[in-house]
Amino acid sequence: MKGQLANVFRGEGAVALAVFVLLAFLPGVIDGYPIYILPQYLLFGVLAMSLGLLWGWVGIVSFGQAAFFAIGAYGMGLAMQAGLGGWGGYLGILCGALASALLAAIAGYFLFSAGVKSTYFVLITLALSIIVEQLAVSQSEITGGYNGMFVDRMALALGPFGEIPLNGDVASYYAVLAVVPILYFGLKALTQSSFGKILVGIRENEERMTALGYKISLYKSAAFMLSGALAGFAGALYGTHAGFVSPSLAGVTFSTEVVVWVAIGGRLSLFGALIGGLIVSALSNYLSSISPQYWQLALGFIFILVIMFSRDGIAGTFAAIANGVSRRRRKEQQLSGSHGKASHG
């Protein structure tokens, strides 16, 4: 157990920990809009991790992550409208994550049990996003339709100790920042467990894993359910932080953006997916502000360049460089050792 925990904080985990520590000191250096918007980018990073788990470890691309994200956001909105005080936020997070997990579990079970291949799975999850978006539009008496839904900021209910309101940007920033590392390191530990190794085995050779007696459809469904729950969880926090939810959160455009985030960041790295979601969404926001008509074209060129020169994304490039440096050092140590033995002899 201790060895597995140590592995979580090595390599990529150590870099992630350093980044989270730096982010913790950020409000002391800057203020204003960056502190308001950065939690949303971090939650986009969590959404990207939900796809990274599915794509990187199981080898399945889903265009339905935006649907789960929107379900979580609307779940939070409805819970906050219920007038439960500080407990409404907790209920919204729980309902958003559970509803997304349930939908993913049901869809995954029927699809994977039927042996649906990856190409058709992409199309079906894309249709799932369209369905959720259309439901959000058509059920306007509940969701607000095209006008969207306003969501109040949640408070942290502490029982007899009262509540901690998250109306301020700094308080909301730290609330999100406290959650994201827990999710990242928890997922990283999961991928290094036996469950994660089985998922990698399914990705590499599904027929062999079936021959070994593993129920492939159940493992795929479990991974999809976990992925949906994580996306719904992120969506719930996004809803209460952004203060507004609209049907476009479940749309095809946003679903495609999530895939681009993970591809650019690195599908084989949870931290790469997290940073991809954070950086690319921030870049998209900046490009759209200076060029509303052509920002998606610019983002498309960036996506093409990354795929051309690094199929494993930015994280894959850094990993390859680090491995190259490590191999060179080992070779130099072996050469120096052999020279030392020769001179001694």
Side-chain angles (χ1 to χ4, degrees), residues 33 37-48 69 238 254 257-258 260-262 264-265 272-289 295 299 302 314:
Y33 183 72
I37 199 66
L38 192 55
Q40 294 183 29
Y41 294 154
L42 284 171
L43 293 172
F44 287 157
V46 174
L47 175 61
F69 190 80
Y238 172 86
F254 189 49
E257 284 185 46
V258 179
V260 172
W261 296 343
V262 178
I264 291 177
L274 175 64
I275 293 299
L278 194 159
I279 293 178
V280 180
S281 59
L283 179 62
S284 299
N285 190 22
Y286 173 73
L287 291 175
S288 64
S289 65
W295 73 270
L299 187 63
I302 295 172
I314 296 172

Side-chain angles (χ1 to χ4, degrees), residues 50-60 62 65 121 220 223-224 227:
S50 74
L51 177 60
L53 173 68
L54 197 64
W55 190 4
W57 271 258
V58 193
I60 298 172
S62 167
Q65 301 309 108
F121 184 82
K220 284 185 174 181
F224 192 38
S227 176

Side-chain angles (χ1 to χ4, degrees), residues 159-171:
F161 301 101
E163 298 178 356
I164 300 177
L166 298 181
N167 294 326
D169 290 339
V170 174

Side-chain angles (χ1 to χ4, degrees), residues 6 21 26 46 60 96 136 163 168 184 200 229 231 254 271:
V21 171
L26 198 60
V46 174
I60 298 172
E163 298 178 356
Y184 166 74
V200 172
F254 189 49
F271 186 63

